[in-house]
Amino acid sequence: MGNKLAPVNLDSYQPLREVVCETLRDAIRKGILEPGERLMEVQLAEELGISRTPVREAIRKLEQEGYVIMMPRRGTYVSDVSVRDIKEIFEIRSALESLSTGLAARRIEPEELETLQSLLTEIEGYIEENDIDKIVETDIKFHGLLYQVSRNERLVGIVSNLKDQLARFRTLSMSYPGRLRETLEEHRDMVEAIADGDAGGAREAAERHMEHAEETLLKALRKRKK
């Protein structure tokens, strides 16, 4: 596996197992720990500068989230992302994005619209700086606000259950050449329709956005496997 990880911050206010889980999850999302790679508790503990117990606890949580698979008598491996996984997740996400964006066009408040527009400005700035971490972070805020302004708590709850799987896909998709600018323009189409109160146009813009995101993700996956 090699030394890929830096020691964790032992002064964090979070429980150590949560810090370790976040560190490993982030490394998987960014491809530092690659699909199919075996995770050795002893080696991870040495790299992170901690004992094996929080590493073991973190790996169990990551297994529940689908980031790793534990195979009896063979060890623990970073899980791969299959085409089936992508298609199933995006079928659900496309429906949810379309619904939330259409509802937002009817229910958004003026100050919330201003916040959406300011988030797009932030994303554009981060694109200029090529700061992928900030782009992903702000993109999550953008879509999170869309769900909130739908004023549908059950919808927000359903999306929350998908957030870990979506985060892994989001980083891989946005790292594909040219995708950042395309995403920004698609977001603008969504916000313009919301600003116009055009629920049908907002739903269509959201569906196009999800369709293009899925296409890009599949291309990125094929490229990574070559």
Side-chain angles (χ1 to χ4, degrees), residues 83-99:
V83 171
R84 180 177 179 179
D85 293 332
I86 292 171
K87 289 188 175 297
E88 288 183 354
I89 290 294
F90 272 88
E91 282 177 349
I92 298 169
R93 190 181 174 197
S94 181
L96 296 177
E97 289 279 339
S98 176
L99 175 59

Side-chain angles (χ1 to χ4, degrees), residues 46-65:
E46 289 177 355
E47 288 187 37
L48 297 173
I50 55 175
S51 68
R52 291 177 61 181
T53 300
V55 173
R56 186 179 305 116
E57 293 172 345
I59 286 176
R60 286 173 181 163
K61 185 174 181 181
L62 290 173
E63 182 189 27
Q64 294 173 355
E65 295 175 359

Side-chain angles (χ1 to χ4, degrees), residues 176-192:
Y176 195 82
R179 181 57 192 156
L180 293 177
R181 285 287 175 187
E182 292 174 353
T183 298
L184 180 61
E185 293 307 315
E186 291 161 12
H187 283 172
R188 282 177 173 153
D189 289 342
M190 293 161 64
V191 173
E192 285 175 8

